[in-house]
Amino acid sequence: MSDTETPGKMRPHSAHWGVFRAGWQGETLVVEPHPADPDPSPILQNFPTALRHRARIARPMVRRGWLEQGPGPSDRRGKDEFVPVSWHKALDLLAAELARVRDQHGLKGIFGGSYGWSSAGRFHHAQSQVHRFLNVTLGGYVRSVNSYSAGAANVILPHILGPFEPVTRHSVSWEQVVEHTELVIAFGGMAVKNSAVGGGGVSRHVERGAMQAAAARGARFVLVSPLRDDLPEEAGHEWRSIIPGTDTAMMLGMAHVLASEGLHDRDFLDRFCTGYPRFEDYLLGRSDGVAKTPGWASAICGIPAEEIATLARDAVGKRVLITMAHALQRAEHGEQPVWMGTVLAAMLGQIGLPGGGFNYALGSIAHYGKRMVAVPVAGLPQGRNRVADFIPVARISDMLLNPGAPFDYNGRQMTYPDIRLVYWAGGNPFHHHQDINRLRQAFSRIDTLVVHENAWTATARHADIVLPCTMTLEREDIAGSTTDPLLVAMHPLSRPYGESRDDYSIFSDLAARLGKGEEFTEGRDARAWLRHLYERTRAALAERDLPAPDFDAFWEAGELTLPLEEDTGGLVGAFRRDPDGAPLPTPSGKVEIYSETIASYGYDDCPGHPAWLAGVDVPDARHPLWMVANQPATRLHSQLDFGGTSADSKRRGREVMRLHPTDAAARGIAEGDIVRLFNDRGACLAAASLSAAVMPGVVQLATGAWYDPADPAEDKPLCVHGNPNVLTRDAGTSRLAQGCTGQLTTLQIEKFTGNLPPIRCWDPPEGASP
């Protein structure tokens, strides 16, 4: 037993879903949330059983075909057996392969994927580590931009309001909602399972309590969603069940009422906005002959016209906050609801008022709606990337399948690079990416896939070189974020599993083999880096004459409370107070209701003002149901799917999907039945749960169940575990953003009556037993 496992001693640590302390009672790890957290996340309880689970990777592995035949395209990825090798051999093979690709194909032949949350630590953050390694050791790599969560919003918001982070995280706070807001219209909701998670850790989950306090004061919450539980019960909300993907039409119907009845705030539109007259021509039908009336909207979105009109009238003269979940823009034409939500808030004259206006993603993540930390929280410097090429993050399959092909992005025509080696650390594209069968084809085209991983995810199973990494509990780090006041000393809680090593140790040895060891490490071991990163925060505290303990004192105490900035509403609040002195960082300096810039791109799937654009992936006779693939409540994305909380939520080993009782009855499906969900892209099994919280015509299946093909040799194998991305469509939101559209798709379901196949995704693949 290592000294990190002293019985009874509780040590501080942190994860993306909460600060906690943990210690050992015999062979059991006991995890306790931070005592100041009013609403701790149950996801923390994934740790105890995950730490030494059979799904962990014990030693370096190389795919047999790659080891014996060398690098190159292969359809054996995901099907081949693995061969254990020593660390020395694994790193020698990898260093040689990196040098080969660099020398023969150039840096544009290397893609540094690594999209994923990994650790809450500031130093052992896998994306930072791999990007620093590729930059410092090789000189650069092809990168990705934006996120799967907010790909469309990442691009549209800078055109119409300002940079993504300032206008999302720092405009409307939960404190403002509690004090000021009278009406919240939540498109897609604010589910507390989503706000349980925050990058860099979160010490206090305040969202549920804030909504409860606002409702107790008299604030009214209206949820617009196909799922009734997208707001917590504490909000006391009214549910408007809407057909998935039609929120823009509903908002247009509300806007029509405001404009046609003279209820819109003309002074605000004239003073703070640009382009409203051109939008109004579209809204009232002067430009296209179609007035966007509540009746027109109702026919599209399924909400009665009178309810749409009444909600619009109810919003006039009140402090109104329009919120929008990530979900709405993770769909076809995802830019449009973000833009239209902004316009609706502008027509009500609410943008920039405390607790009012439009706030994208409030409640979608723990760090939105919080005050900024007043001192810097340092992260690992990543060096300079000399490669200019990049892709929108959700276009990885397109890139690998179509090297040299052109694509549009945000006003530019670009070309997909010819990738030969993909380096992935800290993420799982077989969770994040859509159309897994297409992704499998894409990964078969490259020469080499390298993965750092602590468990046998589907990404690891498709890799050529698998390097076992420590879990966050097995290393020391510092957790902190720009919107949480607690800096946490993350003490190690367990010895490393098997032969696993942390990313920094692996990259340090690789860099040495490539002749760049000193440049990568800068002469520091991991503890020296922690001291170095902490010093920036300590110095800033000292400059403010605030308590500034040295590193050793901080490490012994386990946490340090940092000062917060004033809650001023950020750049949007400053703009409202002084539009001339603090203009928005948009081309006009105002809210862009009509964007000359976007119009100049000539995209038919994203015109110069918000508009209703019908999708192509809609229900038909063969696939009559919508599927909502939302975030899980029992894990962060696919992390620790094998942990206790996640595993306990499954039925008969499968992920649980929900559907309305009427849809179940029509198909002879009862509570707990195993069902097959299918469309032309693929099929999966899941356990059925009947719920009136899901509107008729919709099924809900959370993301994150590990991909588990019944027969990996098939082109479109049945996923027996319940991964919805065997069903989702791999297409961009529009040519503007090329964001992820994985939230919605269409399908059919039926009761599964065959022999139930076993779950094998948590078992090591052939040749890789511990």
Side-chain angles (χ1 to χ4, degrees):
M1 179 176 291
S2 71
D3 59 4
T4 62
E5 300 174 21
T6 304
K9 185 174 178 61
M10 302 296 284
R11 292 179 171 87
H13 207 80
S14 186
H16 292 302
W17 47 92
V19 178
F20 62 97
R21 302 182 79 86
W24 292 87
Q25 294 182 5
E27 292 296 314
T28 301
L29 182 71
V30 177
V31 174
E32 297 177 353
H34 195 282
D37 190 343
D39 190 23
S41 171
I43 301 176
L44 286 172
Q45 300 308 321
N46 275 323
F47 277 132
T49 54
L51 192 57
R52 295 168 182 166
H53 195 278
R54 67 183 185 280
R56 295 290 305 274
I57 302 174
R59 50 193 159 173
M61 295 282 175
V62 180
R63 185 174 64 82
R64 181 173 293 281
W66 192 94
L67 185 64
E68 295 178 352
Q69 301 168 20
S74 175
D75 63 1
R76 294 296 301 162
R77 292 191 177 98
K79 309 167 190 175
D80 216 345
E81 67 176 327
F82 285 87
V83 178
V85 297
S86 68
W87 271 108
H88 183 81
K89 182 171 184 178
L91 295 178
D92 281 352
L93 288 169
L94 179 51
E97 176 62 355
L98 286 165
R100 181 192 74 84
V101 174
R102 176 197 62 195
D103 297 342
Q104 294 184 11
H105 303 286
L107 298 178
K108 292 183 180 181
I110 299 172
F111 180 68
S114 306
Y115 180 89
W117 285 66
S118 185
S119 170
R122 306 301 296 184
F123 176 66
H124 290 295
H125 178 251
Q127 286 188 57
S128 300
Q129 289 283 346
V130 69
H131 294 166
R132 175 180 173 82
F133 168 77
L134 294 173
N135 285 334
V136 173
T137 304
L138 299 180
Y141 62 98
V142 176
R143 61 193 170 95
S144 63
V145 298
N146 306 326
S147 71
Y148 279 93
S149 295
N154 287 141
V155 177
I156 191 69
L157 280 172
H159 284 287
I160 63 175
L161 276 177
F164 181 81
E165 289 289 326
V167 301
T168 55
R169 289 197 183 195
H170 313 309
S171 58
V172 177
S173 71
W174 287 109
E175 294 172 83
Q176 294 174 22
V177 172
V178 171
E179 184 176 355
H180 298 287
T181 309
E182 296 175 87
L183 173 62
V184 177
I185 307 175
F187 289 94
M190 294 182 285
V192 292
K193 65 179 175 61
N194 298 336
S195 56
V197 173
V202 53
S203 61
R204 298 184 73 249
H205 294 88
V206 304
E207 294 77 11
R208 188 192 308 270
M211 285 185 262
Q212 185 174 28
R217 179 182 50 77
R220 177 186 173 198
F221 287 81
V222 177
L223 168 65
V224 183
S225 171
L227 308 177
R228 186 176 61 202
D229 46 13
D230 272 340
L231 277 179
E233 291 183 2
E234 289 82 356
H237 57 280
E238 306 163 23
W239 182 31
R240 304 287 186 270
S241 56
I242 190 170
I243 294 173
T246 64
D247 303 77
T248 299
M250 178 183 171
M251 286 186 271
L252 284 165
M254 293 176 65
H256 188 279
V257 171
L258 299 178
S260 63
E261 298 181 10
L263 300 175
H264 53 315
D265 191 329
R266 295 182 180 86
D267 291 340
F268 182 86
L269 293 170
D270 291 342
R271 182 74 180 89
F272 294 87
C273 305
T274 184
Y276 174 74
R278 297 188 69 170
F279 169 74
E280 188 181 84
D281 285 344
Y282 167 78
L283 180 68
L284 300 182
R286 292 191 289 259
S287 61
D288 64 357
V290 179
K292 313 308 180 293
T293 65
W296 168 89
S298 177
I300 296 170
C301 72
I303 295 177
E306 188 54 38
E307 289 188 14
I308 295 172
T310 298
L311 185 57
R313 298 179 188 120
D314 287 350
V316 176
K318 296 183 177 67
R319 184 61 54 87
V320 178
L321 175 61
I322 295 170
T323 69
M324 183 166 301
H326 284 321
L328 271 65
Q329 53 83 69
R330 294 182 70 248
E332 291 184 80
H333 311 302
E335 299 82 1
Q336 301 309 309
V338 180
W339 202 348
M340 190 58 221
T342 304
V343 171
L344 185 58
M347 292 179 71
L348 291 166
Q350 296 292 296
I351 290 178
L353 295 175
F358 173 75
N359 194 237
Y360 173 78
L362 184 68
S364 293
I365 198 169
H367 293 318
Y368 291 6
K370 306 286 183 66
R371 298 192 192 196
M372 285 284 289
V373 172
V375 293
V377 179
L380 181 67
Q382 297 181 27
R384 186 173 74 88
N385 188 347
R386 298 202 298 268
V387 176
D389 293 55
F390 67 87
I391 62 166
V393 68
R395 302 274 58 79
I396 182 172
S397 289
D398 286 353
M399 173 184 70
L400 298 181
L401 291 168
N402 302 292
F407 69 97
D408 289 303
Y409 171 73
N410 202 14
R412 302 169 59 183
Q413 187 167 83
M414 304 171 65
T415 302
Y416 287 123
D418 185 3
I419 299 297
R420 301 304 180 99
L421 182 147
V422 174
Y423 209 129
W424 216 284
N428 181 12
F430 279 81
H431 158 73
H432 275 104
H433 202 70
Q434 286 64 63
D435 195 345
I436 284 178
N437 290 317
R438 187 170 187 258
L439 183 68
R440 294 168 74 215
Q441 295 173 10
F443 275 128
S444 74
R445 303 293 181 90
I446 61 176
D447 291 351
T448 302
L449 173 59
V450 185
V451 172
H452 291 201
E453 190 47 279
N454 61 49
W456 282 108
T457 64
T459 304
R461 292 170 187 269
H462 284 76
D464 300 303
I465 299 174
V466 182
L467 303 180
C469 287
T470 51
M471 190 181 290
T472 178
L473 302 181
E474 298 162 342
R475 56 188 183 239
E476 61 184 21
D477 211 330
I478 298 173
S481 79
T482 59
T483 51
D484 193 277
L486 207 63
L487 196 70
V488 180
M490 300 169 62
H491 287 241
L493 299 163
S494 175
R495 64 187 182 275
Y497 181 82
E499 299 176 21
S500 60
R501 300 170 61 183
D502 63 66
D503 296 298
Y504 181 68
S505 170
I506 296 168
F507 285 132
S508 296
D509 280 359
L510 267 178
R513 281 168 165 79
L514 292 165
K516 295 287 186 177
E518 183 65 24
E519 291 87 341
F520 178 75
T521 66
E522 298 184 19
R524 299 186 183 100
D525 61 13
R527 173 58 74 92
W529 270 109
L530 295 184
R531 290 181 180 275
H532 177 72
L533 297 179
Y534 174 76
E535 177 57 25
R536 187 179 177 198
T537 303
R538 190 210 62 78
L541 290 169
E543 288 178 7
R544 290 171 169 256
D545 293 324
L546 295 171
D550 64 20
F551 179 82
D552 291 330
F554 159 67
W555 196 257
E556 178 65 24
E559 61 184 52
L560 177 63
T561 300
L562 305 179
L564 298 175
E565 299 281 9
E566 292 297 315
D567 184 11
T568 62
L571 66 85
V572 178
F575 169 66
R576 179 63 184 249
R577 293 188 295 272
D578 184 5
D580 296 321
L584 293 176
T586 61
S588 65
K590 299 181 177 182
V591 179
E592 300 242 342
I593 294 176
Y594 182 91
S595 169
E596 296 285 356
T597 301
I598 293 176
S600 72
Y601 300 157
Y603 297 153
D604 56 1
D605 54 4
C606 190
H609 59 71
W612 166 248
L613 303 172
V616 298
D617 190 9
V618 295
D620 58 25
R622 294 177 59 238
H623 307 116
L625 299 171
W626 286 102
M627 181 183 74
V628 175
N630 61 354
Q631 292 302 309
T634 60
R635 56 188 172 262
L636 167 56
H637 295 306
S638 67
Q639 279 191 40
L640 306 184
D641 182 40
F642 53 89
T645 302
S646 177
D648 289 348
S649 72
K650 301 175 190 292
R651 295 186 189 176
R652 299 170 73 183
R654 326 286 149 169
E655 196 68 15
V656 176
M657 58 80 69
R658 296 191 299 169
L659 76 166
H660 194 274
T662 58
D663 293 319
R667 293 163 175 81
I669 295 170
E671 180 72 23
D673 282 347
I674 301 301
V675 297
R676 175 175 172 264
L677 301 85
F678 61 96
N679 58 23
D680 292 338
R681 286 178 288 277
C684 70
L685 301 183
S689 177
L690 280 54
S691 174
V694 180
M695 70 179 290
V698 172
V699 300
Q700 176 263 320
L701 177 61
T703 62
W706 284 10
Y707 174 61
D708 195 350
D711 183 357
E714 294 182 358
D715 290 338
K716 295 182 179 182
L718 174 72
C719 174
V720 303
H721 191 204
N723 187 315
N725 279 329
V726 298
L727 303 159
T728 50
R729 180 171 171 261
D730 185 14
T733 52
S734 78
R735 287 186 286 165
L736 180 78
Q738 297 284 3
C740 163
T741 57
Q743 185 77 17
L744 302 176
T745 193
T746 57
L747 47 66
Q748 179 60 285
I749 60 174
E750 63 184 9
K751 184 175 178 178
F752 183 75
T753 57
N755 294 326
L756 199 58
I759 303 296
R760 297 175 297 186
C761 58
W762 298 343
D763 298 327
E766 186 177 353
S769 297

